[in-house]
């Protein structure tokens, strides 16, 4: 894993590329990169979309309750005061509370300051923000699940 590596995800709606924060969240970045290399995210859906908030994926069960890290079930947060959910395009770990990171991640659609200090930020969208916005505007059901599946076709390390 070199500092220059990025991850791109080819989705059913287009490609999103992430700049990763190796210095601020090395363990989280390693998890994301390794899962992408292993094909873990391939075929996985974005199971939660809340307009003007975020899009969430990374759970191979598609329920929002599954997913494991390369370290086992869960691993600890890497919170830094230098990184904040200041706007659209922030890549952050989804969790079920403190130190419960696995494979799920989300991308913000707007500033989300209430998430600062609660979710590990480990990157940002460097290309494909229009795809993120398009995903963020799809029709969803009452549980915020897209009516039509939006899939990660392939995650690649570049």
């Amino acid at each position: 894993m070199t500092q220059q590596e990025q991850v791109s995800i080819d989705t059913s709606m287009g490609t999103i590329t992430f700049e990763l924060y190796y210095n601020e969240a090395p363990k989280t970045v390693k998890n994301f990169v390794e899962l992408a290399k292993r094909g873990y995210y391939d075929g996985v859906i974005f199971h939660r979309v809340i307009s003007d908030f975020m899009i969430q994926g990374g759970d191979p069960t598609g329920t929002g309750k599954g997913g494991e890290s390369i370290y086992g079930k869960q691993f600890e947060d890497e919170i830094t005061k230098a990184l904040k959910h200041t706007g659209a395009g922030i890549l952050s770990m989804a969790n079920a509370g403190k130190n419960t990171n696995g494979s799920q991640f989300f991308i913000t659609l707007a500033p989300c300051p209430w998430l600062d200090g609660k979710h590990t930020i480990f990157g940002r969208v460097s290309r494909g923000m229009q795809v993120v916005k398009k995903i963020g505007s799809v029709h969803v059901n009452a549980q915020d699940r897209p009516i039509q599946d939006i899939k990660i076709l392939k995650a690649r390390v570049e």
Side-chain angles (χ1 to χ4, degrees):
M1 185 168 71
T2 66
Q3 299 259 345
Q4 290 75 29
E5 287 180 327
Q6 302 180 102
V7 169
S8 289
I9 55 173
D10 299 323
T11 76
S12 50
M13 295 185 83
T15 300
I16 306 164
T17 301
F18 302 104
E19 170 191 342
L20 302 173
Y21 298 153
Y22 287 86
N23 294 331
E24 295 82 359
K27 193 168 187 177
T28 307
V29 167
K30 181 177 181 182
N31 181 63
F32 189 65
V33 167
E34 287 300 317
L35 290 174
K37 283 181 179 176
R38 294 176 187 179
Y40 188 87
Y41 294 124
D42 299 357
V44 172
I45 63 169
F46 282 93
H47 63 273
R48 190 169 175 223
V49 172
I50 303 175
S51 92
D52 298 321
F53 177 32
M54 62 90 203
I55 64 174
Q56 184 173 334
D59 173 9
T61 70
T63 64
K65 297 178 181 172
E68 291 188 358
S69 76
I70 63 169
Y71 309 110
K73 186 78 174 141
Q74 299 173 333
F75 67 98
E76 67 276 3
D77 296 328
E78 292 180 295
I79 305 290
T80 173
K81 292 182 189 224
L83 299 174
K84 300 189 181 307
H85 297 89
T86 55
I90 303 295
L91 177 63
S92 198
M93 288 301 286
N95 63 39
K98 188 176 171 94
N99 299 319
T100 59
N101 299 295
S103 63
Q104 293 187 50
F105 60 90
F106 65 90
I107 306 163
T108 59
L109 297 169
C112 306
W114 63 91
L115 300 178
D116 294 344
K118 297 178 183 155
H119 295 269
T120 299
I121 296 170
F122 65 102
R124 70 171 187 86
V125 174
S126 58
R127 285 191 315 271
M129 196 59 212
Q130 72 283 2
V131 176
V132 172
K133 289 177 182 175
K134 194 166 31 168
I135 295 170
S137 67
V138 299
H139 295 295
V140 296
N141 66 17
Q143 290 76 43
D144 302 314
R145 186 181 181 92
I147 302 298
Q148 293 189 314
D149 283 351
I150 302 157
K151 284 191 178 181
I152 296 172
L153 305 174
K154 176 103 180 117
R156 345 180 230 107
V157 179
E158 303 173 323

